[in-house]
Amino acid sequence: MVAGFEMPVPEARPDRIARRIPFFIPVSATGLTRCSATNLSIGGIGLTGVVTGGTVPQPGDDLEVEFGLSGEPKPIRAVARVAWSSRARTDGRLGLG
C-alpha cells in the first residue's frame, strides 16, 4: 500500500503461468533508455523502454537490469533473460518481459 492507496490485484488469466501485479518503477536496462517496470510476477518483470543502438531485445537475450526499492540502500542488480518482446514502435518504444 502506498500513502493509503491500495491497488486492486488483477484476476489471474488462464493463458498466463502467474498473475501479474502492477509494479511501476524506473529501471536501468542494457540497450534501453527511459525504461520502467510495468508489472511483476513469479515468472519475471514486465518492462517498457526505448531501444538504443537499433538492436531490439529478442527472446533468449540477456539484459543487465538495475532498480531501487524504497527503504533499501543498495539497488537490485540482476541479469534478466527476455521471454518475449513487442515490435518497436516508430519512436523506438517497446515492451518486453
Side-chain angles (χ1 to χ4, degrees), residues 7-10 16 18-24 37-42 44-46:
M7 187 173 242
V9 176
R16 292 199 173 137
R19 181 176 301 182
R20 294 178 181 179
I21 307 300
F23 179 70
F24 302 98
T38 57
N39 62 64
L40 190 63
S41 77
I42 61 170
I45 188 169

Side-chain angles (χ1 to χ4, degrees), residues 38-75:
T38 57
N39 62 64
L40 190 63
S41 77
I42 61 170
I45 188 169
L47 301 175
T48 183
V50 177
V51 176
T52 59
T55 303
V56 175
Q58 298 296 314
D61 289 350
D62 289 339
L63 302 177
E64 293 180 17
V65 297
E66 180 178 316
F67 56 92
L69 294 176
S70 179
E72 292 297 321
K74 293 184 178 182

Side-chain angles (χ1 to χ4, degrees), residues 3-20:
F5 176 76
E6 188 172 329
M7 187 173 242
V9 176
E11 292 296 317
R13 284 182 27 189
D15 60 330
R16 292 199 173 137
I17 295 170
R19 181 176 301 182
R20 294 178 181 179

Side-chain angles (χ1 to χ4, degrees), residues 29 31-36 48-53 89 91-94:
L32 300 173
T33 61
R34 298 193 322 253
C35 185
S36 297
T48 183
V50 177
V51 176
T52 59
R89 296 185 334 195
D91 65 356
R93 183 159 292 282
L94 80 155

